[in-house]
Amino acid sequence: MGKFKVMKPVNEVDVSCVKYKEEDIKAPHLTGFLFKLFVKMLEAPLIGSLIVESLKKNNGMTQIFRNTVIPEEPMFRPVFPSQKPELDVVPVGEDESPVNRLETALKCLPQYDPSLSFQADSGSSFRYWKIRDYAYAYRSKLTTPSVVAEQIISIIEEFKYDKSPTPFLISFDANEVRKQAEASTHRFEQGHPISILDGVFITIKDDIDCLPHTTTGGTTWLHEERYVEKDSVVVSRLRSCGAILLGKANMHELGMGTSGNNSNYGTTRNPHSPERYTGGSSSGSAAIVASGLCPAALGTDGGGIIKVILIFFYLRCMLTCVWKAGSVRIPASLCGVTGLKTTYGRTDMTGSLCAGGTVEVVSPLASSLEDTLLVYAVILGSSSADRLNLNPVHCLPMYSFDHSKYSCKNLVFEMILQTPPCLPKLLSHNGGNAIGSLRLGKYTTWFNDVHSSDISDKCEDILKLLSNNHGCQVVEIVVPELEEMRAAHVVSIGSATLCSLTPYCEDGKTPKLSYDTRTSFAIFKSFSASDYIAAQCLRRRLMEYHMDIFKNVDVIVTPTCGMTAPLIPPEAVKNGETNFQVAAYLMRFVVAANLLGFPAISVPVGYDKGGMPIGLQIMGRPWAEATVLTLAAAVEELAPITKKPTVFHDVLSTKRIH
């Protein structure tokens, strides 16, 4: 067919012949005047379209989407085949109250020993305060939510949002925090706390609705166009458990960046090294947890960006593009905390800016695996629409049903039974009893494609410990068509973002966006309907590849990011930047979980030679959060001792309580 490429159907592809292709990253770093000039060129009617078409051609996107015959049918959102039951787990009901689910989660944890946290030895190793520590301190009358609230308020107000070490929050109301803390303190005085989360401080990313705050998405104007009338579903679940909602966390504007740079509100700094980025887009959520101000926070994992880099070389223009995903896992890895991305559809997105997308999920970040589990137990629960669209029974041929036996209500009930949410039994400190049977998939050449061998070495050390201590089997795998996967993700998220932003930009809001967001928007406008359909054909194709991989392994393990936290260029603080090399390393391993909807978690596994955190990513098959969490618990137990961040606030006590 001439210049056209014809792909073989997945079942005819010999994956043993697939060769890993390392990314050849040769691109300049644009900031300041050159970056602004480039954005102006990109938005110009004639030259902008020429630049975009050159970009797509030089990146192979024209070949992938317009000169390739893809035999698979399109899949417009993740559709999962039936999955085998998980081992050693506790099912929980999506329609149970969050408090009841939280009680079930507590029964899955090891017995609480307050001496591990509340001890006189000030020279003991650093340890974050956990949710159960807060509950113990309150119930033992060592302190109160109001006392802790005043410490947090004084720390946040000292920042004044424009000073180092970082503007963690976009929206904060001290009186609202005091009001919540007073109510919680009163409940403890009466002896009737709502749950283990009562009085525990949790921060909400600024693309998730949380009264009385506005939702800006990191912009300076969105709150003027979109009004918050009630809590999002996930926030209402946290509030029903007595959690104190601290405020709205800073983020990369509209979630469209990997670094966390936000020139509108100030760029959140990494608590381990304030001159470095946190990663994005859930930058504030990760940083505020790592700094000790909150044991947990909510973020969103999905997002999308294309960043364009202009290279002037011998009077020729070369352009490269960067995708964006992993908005919880990237900052979790860079900040040394835990970040869980749930299966697509596992949490209800109603009341978030990401509602209606096909890659995004609301997910928790926390300073420990057990706190991640507790928050996950509270917020889980699909929307009614997702229960209809995503469960495997719904995907079976309609003639397989005896319709005389099913009312609409009963049909939904049967579908829910196919993939019930489950929690792992972490009754010992090394995870569950099923760890030894787990098979860990590792694509070695991909695994080792990192900026520094410190990263792959630390992750490899943990895999060896899992094998030696628990009997886990590491299985060599091949993940085909990684380049096509990145391209499909770009078009999928870019098209969804374009649909959301177009009404505002047509109304003259484009100049109010940051330069990197404007760059992305200009590129998104170039996607055609045929590009989008081709991307969805690739999504189905990639789903089939991964389902074949999961026949032989239980999880896929990689580093979370290909590099540790990058330095913040001083000239990038005011107007942002575009840095292909950094973004490519940060994004290398996280795209599949977003495009295909799989659960994945980033767990800290050590530090590089410069003392910056390294994360291991564990990606599971659909709906297998319990398996992912079980293995993550074992990793946490085997990981080196946690280092105290440079910026850390001991808000539960100014010193360990005797």
Side-chain angles (χ1 to χ4, degrees):
M1 295 184 65
K3 65 178 180 179
F4 285 88
K5 175 184 176 182
V6 180
M7 286 183 162
K8 292 182 179 180
V10 168
N11 60 3
E12 296 180 13
V13 175
D14 183 358
V15 297
S16 66
C17 296
V18 172
K19 302 297 183 183
Y20 180 73
K21 181 180 178 182
E22 291 187 2
E23 292 180 90
D24 184 17
I25 304 171
K26 295 178 180 178
H29 175 197
L30 289 183
T31 59
F33 173 76
L34 284 178
F35 186 29
K36 292 192 287 183
L37 175 63
F38 174 65
V39 174
K40 294 292 186 181
M41 293 170 59
L42 197 64
E43 292 176 338
L46 179 59
I47 191 173
S49 60
L50 293 174
I51 290 174
V52 169
E53 289 309 312
S54 177
L55 159 72
K56 293 162 108 177
K57 183 177 181 180
N58 290 336
N59 273 288
M61 293 186 73
T62 301
Q63 175 67 35
I64 291 173
F65 293 115
R66 300 186 183 179
N67 297 331
T68 300
V69 177
I70 306 170
E72 284 74 21
E73 295 181 354
M75 182 175 70
F76 296 102
R77 56 164 53 190
V79 176
F80 309 120
S82 298
Q83 301 296 309
K84 63 182 180 181
E86 296 178 275
L87 300 176
D88 208 27
V89 296
V90 179
V92 293
E94 291 193 270
D95 294 323
E96 284 185 62
S97 73
V99 171
N100 287 343
R101 289 200 300 267
L102 190 54
E103 287 299 318
T104 301
L106 279 171
K107 295 176 183 177
C108 295
L109 296 177
Q111 184 175 354
Y112 177 70
D113 182 359
S115 67
L116 293 175
S117 298
F118 298 94
Q119 53 186 314
D121 181 11
S122 60
S124 61
S125 60
F126 170 75
R127 183 176 183 272
Y128 281 105
W129 294 108
K130 297 181 180 181
I131 288 172
R132 291 196 288 180
D133 294 329
Y134 282 84
Y136 175 82
Y138 296 154
R139 297 183 189 203
S140 302
K141 302 187 185 303
L142 298 175
T143 189
T144 69
S146 290
V147 170
V148 177
E150 290 303 325
Q151 291 196 59
I152 295 175
I153 289 168
S154 65
I155 293 168
I156 291 174
E157 290 186 337
E158 184 179 351
F159 289 160
K160 297 181 181 177
Y161 305 109
D162 60 358
K163 293 183 177 180
S164 183
T166 169
F168 290 131
L169 301 172
I170 285 176
S171 179
F172 174 72
D173 185 332
N175 289 332
E176 172 63 21
V177 172
R178 289 188 177 102
K179 177 181 173 182
Q180 295 178 72
E182 288 168 2
S184 179
T185 298
H186 180 71
R187 291 192 291 270
F188 278 102
E189 289 172 349
Q190 298 298 311
H192 300 296
I194 298 173
S195 75
I196 197 76
L197 267 184
D198 205 336
V200 175
F201 296 81
I202 294 180
T203 303
I204 310 299
K205 186 180 178 182
D206 196 33
D207 59 356
I208 306 169
D209 291 346
C210 176
L211 288 173
H213 305 279
T214 59
T215 297
T216 75
T219 70
T220 59
W221 54 268
L222 187 60
H223 60 288
E224 299 171 355
E225 304 289 337
R226 179 185 179 276
Y227 301 102
V228 176
E229 297 179 350
K230 61 180 180 180
D231 287 336
S232 62
V233 170
V234 289
V235 167
S236 68
R237 289 171 179 169
L238 289 170
R239 201 185 293 273
S240 72
C241 294
I244 298 175
L245 307 173
L246 186 59
K248 303 299 289 295
N250 203 348
M251 59 181 287
H252 206 113
E253 187 181 59
L254 295 175
M256 296 169 66
T258 57
S259 65
N261 184 298
N262 188 312
S263 56
N264 298 323
Y265 296 96
T267 295
T268 303
R269 310 301 180 100
N270 195 311
H272 288 270
S273 179
E275 67 274 11
R276 295 180 180 269
Y277 281 123
T278 59
S281 63
S282 302
S283 53
S285 296
I288 205 165
V289 170
S291 72
L293 285 176
C294 290
L298 289 189
T300 52
D301 197 304
I305 189 168
I306 300 174
K307 287 186 178 178
V308 184
I309 301 169
L310 187 64
I311 307 175
F312 291 103
F313 182 68
Y314 294 113
L315 302 180
R316 295 178 60 190
C317 260
M318 265 179 65
L319 297 137
T320 36
C321 85
V322 173
W323 55 95
K324 161 68 175 71
S327 302
V328 159
R329 288 162 289 150
I330 289 173
S333 178
L334 268 55
C335 292
V337 298
T338 299
L340 171 69
K341 181 217 167 282
T342 63
T343 304
Y344 177 76
R346 181 64 89 193
T347 53
D348 194 329
M349 299 293 292
T350 304
S352 74
L353 298 185
C354 300
T358 65
V359 300
E360 304 91 344
V361 293
V362 173
S363 294
L365 299 99
S367 56
S368 65
L369 190 282
E370 76 168 57
D371 287 355
T372 304
L373 172 63
L374 293 176
V375 175
Y376 166 65
V378 172
I379 68 171
L380 69 81
S382 306
S383 67
S384 56
D386 281 340
R387 294 187 200 185
L388 284 169
N389 292 329
L390 295 172
N391 286 274
V393 169
H394 182 70
C395 301
L396 293 176
M398 292 306 294
Y399 56 74
S400 65
F401 292 100
D402 180 352
H403 291 280
S404 64
K405 296 181 181 179
Y406 291 95
S407 67
C408 180
K409 180 178 180 181
N410 288 334
L411 181 59
V412 174
F413 178 69
E414 288 295 317
M415 286 188 284
I416 294 171
L417 289 179
Q418 299 302 308
T419 54
C422 297
L423 303 177
K425 296 178 181 178
L426 307 179
L427 300 180
S428 64
H429 279 285
N430 60 359
N433 298 324
I435 295 175
S437 65
L438 293 180
R439 298 160 300 169
L440 318 182
K442 178 191 175 192
Y443 187 11
T444 298
T445 51
W446 187 34
F447 189 100
N448 292 334
D449 189 9
V450 292
H451 184 263
S452 167
S453 60
D454 290 354
I455 296 170
S456 52
D457 288 347
K458 292 293 183 183
C459 292
E460 182 67 36
D461 289 345
I462 291 295
L463 298 188
K464 290 178 180 177
L465 289 172
L466 287 171
S467 179
N468 295 336
N469 293 21
H470 297 290
C472 296
Q473 180 184 1
V474 178
V475 179
E476 184 66 25
I477 62 171
V478 173
V479 183
E481 300 176 15
L482 289 169
E483 185 176 358
E484 287 80 0
M485 179 164 62
R486 295 161 188 148
H489 184 270
V490 166
V491 174
S492 298
I493 189 61
S495 299
T497 304
L498 178 68
C499 181
S500 300
L501 282 180
T502 294
Y504 301 113
C505 292
E506 291 293 326
D507 194 37
K509 296 297 189 295
T510 300
K512 294 185 177 182
L513 294 169
S514 64
Y515 286 104
D516 58 353
T517 304
R518 288 164 63 180
T519 301
S520 301
F521 187 65
I523 305 300
F524 294 160
K525 290 193 294 185
S526 75
F527 296 152
S528 68
S530 63
D531 293 339
Y532 182 75
I533 296 298
Q536 307 322 301
C537 293
L538 287 172
R539 180 184 268 183
R540 183 178 296 278
R541 183 178 179 86
L542 291 156
M543 179 68 80
E544 291 182 20
Y545 279 130
H546 280 77
M547 287 299 99
D548 284 343
I549 291 171
F550 281 123
K551 290 177 183 177
N552 300 311
V553 302
D554 299 289
V555 299
I556 297 172
V557 290
T558 66
T560 306
C561 297
M563 70 182 302
T564 54
L567 289 167
I568 304 173
E571 62 273 17
V573 173
K574 183 177 180 180
N575 294 308
E577 64 173 320
T578 185
N579 192 327
F580 175 75
Q581 294 164 314
V582 165
Y585 276 120
L586 295 180
M587 293 296 303
R588 182 148 297 158
F589 305 105
V590 297
V591 174
N594 291 116
L595 181 66
L596 304 179
F598 301 144
I601 195 169
S602 178
V603 192
V605 292
Y607 304 84
D608 66 10
K609 292 183 178 64
M612 298 308 296
I614 295 169
L616 176 77
Q617 177 179 250
I618 303 166
M619 183 173 72
R621 54 188 172 82
W623 312 115
E625 282 86 357
T627 299
V628 167
L629 288 163
T630 295
L631 187 59
V635 169
E636 182 182 72
E637 181 69 15
L638 295 170
I641 294 173
T642 302
K643 294 181 180 179
K644 184 177 179 180
T646 302
V647 177
F648 177 76
H649 305 283
D650 189 355
V651 299
L652 192 54
S653 173
T654 54
K655 60 181 180 179
R656 297 297 187 190
I657 301 173
H658 291 58

